Amino acid sequence: CHMFCGLWGVLAVGIFADGTYLEVSGLIDGGSEQIVSQIIGMIAVVVWTAGASALVFGLIKFSMGLRVPEEDEIAGVDFTELTQIAYPEDDAEGEPVLV
């Protein structure tokens, strides 16, 4: 959602700009320079975001890990991290059951 809508917003300026702001004209208004600038900007944003995300997630993965331990997944992260049961299933006596 954020990526596609954000990139569309950048591209739309190059298509629909009508010269109202800073005398920028898009393709519809007869300008072709702005669409090139907007596409270069889009490429720069995608490259920067991919590189920065790869670096940050790589550091997290090798330092503390991106996932909880398998035992916590099986027991339920709500219980192991927050000591609460999010969706309790009752047994015959009405007591919560930990799977």
Side-chain angles (χ1 to χ4, degrees), residues 2 5 11 13-14 22-23 27 37 45-46 50 52-53 59 62 69 71-72 77 81 90 94-95 97-98:
H2 291 97
C5 292
L11 186 61
V13 170
L22 301 174
E23 299 177 10
L27 283 177
S37 297
V45 166
V46 168
S53 296
L59 290 171
F62 290 114
E71 304 83 42
D72 290 355
V77 178
E81 295 286 326
D90 296 336
E95 295 294 320
V97 175
L98 294 178

Side-chain angles (χ1 to χ4, degrees), residues 20-73:
T20 302
Y21 300 103
L22 301 174
E23 299 177 10
V24 173
S25 295
L27 283 177
I28 291 179
D29 200 39
S32 61
E33 295 174 10
Q34 192 61 39
I35 191 76
V36 174
S37 297
Q38 297 302 108
I39 291 171
I40 291 170
M42 288 172 59
I43 293 169
V45 166
V46 168
V47 169
W48 170 260
T49 304
S53 296
L55 178 66
V56 169
F57 282 114
L59 290 171
I60 292 171
K61 182 177 181 178
F62 290 114
S63 62
M64 67 172 117
L66 289 171
R67 296 188 61 133
V68 297
E70 187 176 357
E71 304 83 42
D72 290 355
E73 284 185 39

